Amino acid sequence: MFMQGKQIYVKSVEESDVEALLKLEKDNRDFFQRFTGLREESFYTHQGQLERIRKAIEASKADQGYVYVIGLQDTGATIGEIMLTEVVRGNLQSCWIGYFLDQDHNGKGYMTEAVQLIVKFAFQELKFHRIEAGVMPHNLGSIQVLLKAGFHKEGIARKNVKINGTWEDHQTLAILNEADEEASSLIQRYNPSVIAPPIGPYTHVTKVARGAELLVFSGQVGTDREGNLPADMEEQVENTLANIQRVLAAEAMSADHIVKINIWAVQEIDWDHFDRVWEKFHQGKAPSMTMAYVPALAIPSLQVEIEVWAAKG
């Protein structure tokens, strides 16, 4: 398997990758060790990596697990690994995803792109229904990678993995294959394989079933329930999403009924803050969305306005 992204590529591991993987593991030994179980010294040898690769290839042939190498498009350098493990077929059709990225290449969007590519391949080619991930709660960067790739939080698994001799809690996240949803579902969200995955937490396409009732909410703004408008941009964003939730609830609807969201802002959004409140709003099922900056809104004190299209039976 070989999948090409914008900045990186992902391919199935081969014996010819042994030296590149050995270098990756040795260069990042202390960094990777913070997130995995204790490893024997033999792991950091040519023979140890070769045996690991051979086992991965056999597991792939047996549909028991899959290991992939992440490389840079421009140089071909190996910068990471991503794997699908704990494969269960039958009525579950599930697996777990894990990954490691060279410390010097963290924070550049490479792993988000790699996860998106692997999820696409796992759903379309390997026919998984559900992919799960476990991340230590303090590993916020990894959690953010998964959220941007479309995963949603499901809860905390207490003391479930021994890391460096200590049983650690893990945040459980998962993503479902939307193609497995019933055809009769009122609203179907999906990302077509003919274009690249979304660059953020949203869905490219939303399909509404015939006969549904369409509701369009006028642009919601950041006033509180008494009509007061805070000066702070972050407070306006939070109030706006809260107002949308109230309007939806009044119509016996939720974020699951949203067809499209359009957001206009007059100043640059703090994306770290927005991503947090946005994920809380849609609970891992990000709708189609357009975000734009404009010179001004109707009232000078307004800094953000959000329009919602929703549908129900």
Side-chain angles (χ1 to χ4, degrees):
M1 183 279 284
F2 182 94
M3 295 190 72
Q4 186 168 296
K6 294 179 180 179
Q7 304 178 90
I8 54 93
Y9 64 82
V10 179
K11 73 176 191 70
S12 298
V13 69
E14 303 172 273
E15 289 191 16
S16 58
D17 296 311
V18 62
E19 289 300 332
L21 289 184
L22 179 58
K23 182 178 186 304
L24 177 70
E25 292 289 352
K26 291 175 74 173
D27 288 350
N28 292 272
R29 181 169 181 169
D30 293 338
F31 178 56
F32 289 170
Q33 191 61 69
R34 292 158 51 189
F35 309 104
T36 190
L38 294 174
R39 289 165 165 170
E40 297 181 358
E41 284 300 319
S42 60
F43 182 87
Y44 300 99
T45 66
H46 178 97
Q47 188 60 33
Q49 288 298 307
L50 185 58
E51 290 177 2
R52 175 179 172 232
I53 291 171
R54 287 172 176 171
K55 288 180 180 179
I57 293 172
E58 290 304 312
S60 175
K61 292 177 180 178
D63 190 32
Q64 296 176 343
Y66 300 85
V67 176
Y68 305 98
V69 172
I70 304 169
L72 287 176
Q73 285 277 27
D74 53 356
T75 66
T78 296
I79 61 169
E81 307 165 59
I82 186 165
M83 58 283 295
L84 301 174
T85 61
E86 308 296 330
V87 173
V88 181
R89 293 299 186 178
N91 291 329
L92 293 181
Q93 298 295 331
S94 68
C95 67
W96 286 76
I97 190 170
Y99 44 78
F100 295 97
L101 186 70
D102 184 279
Q103 186 172 14
D104 291 339
H105 291 92
N106 272 242
K108 300 177 182 179
Y110 296 152
M111 189 52 76
T112 298
E113 189 174 356
V115 171
Q116 289 172 333
L117 289 172
I118 287 300
V119 167
K120 177 181 177 181
F121 181 79
F123 284 160
Q124 294 183 358
E125 303 299 329
L126 300 178
K127 305 303 181 183
F128 285 111
H129 167 68
R130 174 183 172 87
I131 303 174
E132 299 181 49
V135 184
M136 285 187 286
H138 64 78
N139 191 354
L140 300 179
S142 186
I143 291 174
Q144 195 63 26
V145 163
L146 293 164
L147 292 176
K148 287 182 179 180
F151 283 70
H152 59 273
K153 294 180 180 179
E154 293 195 331
I156 298 293
R158 296 188 64 252
K159 310 298 181 184
N160 71 321
V161 181
K162 184 177 283 188
I163 305 294
N164 291 321
T166 302
W167 290 102
E168 298 280 359
D169 294 347
H170 278 69
Q171 171 71 59
T172 300
L173 302 97
I175 187 171
L176 303 179
N177 190 345
E178 297 297 337
D180 293 336
E181 295 297 314
E182 294 182 8
S184 59
S185 176
L186 178 66
I187 294 177
Q188 298 179 45
R189 295 173 179 156
Y190 63 95
N191 296 309
S193 60
V194 295
I195 57 176
I199 61 174
Y202 63 88
T203 303
H204 277 315
V205 178
T206 302
K207 185 184 294 185
V208 182
R210 182 177 299 177
E213 181 181 11
L214 183 66
L215 293 90
V216 181
F217 305 155
S218 63
Q220 300 299 302
V221 295
T223 53
D224 61 21
R225 301 195 71 168
E226 285 72 45
N228 301 310
L229 183 68
D232 182 70
M233 173 69 158
E234 293 184 1
E235 289 186 58
Q236 288 198 24
V237 170
E238 292 179 12
N239 283 351
T240 304
L241 292 177
N243 288 335
I244 291 171
Q245 287 179 317
R246 294 188 187 102
V247 174
L248 288 169
E251 294 291 334
M253 302 168 76
S254 69
D256 289 342
H257 293 87
I258 293 175
V259 176
K260 177 70 188 301
I261 278 187
N262 296 314
I263 302 177
W264 296 280
V266 299
Q267 63 173 274
E268 185 174 359
I269 284 182
D270 179 341
W271 287 107
D272 288 336
H273 173 263
F274 180 82
D275 285 344
R276 288 194 297 273
V277 296
W278 178 235
E279 195 275 334
K280 182 179 179 182
F281 173 79
H282 63 67
Q283 292 295 305
K285 299 180 180 179
S288 298
M289 178 184 75
T290 297
M291 167 70 210
Y293 292 113
V294 295
L297 293 168
I299 301 173
S301 54
L302 291 178
Q303 298 182 50
V304 65
E305 186 167 346
I306 303 178
E307 175 189 73
V308 176
W309 292 55
K312 69 175 182 178

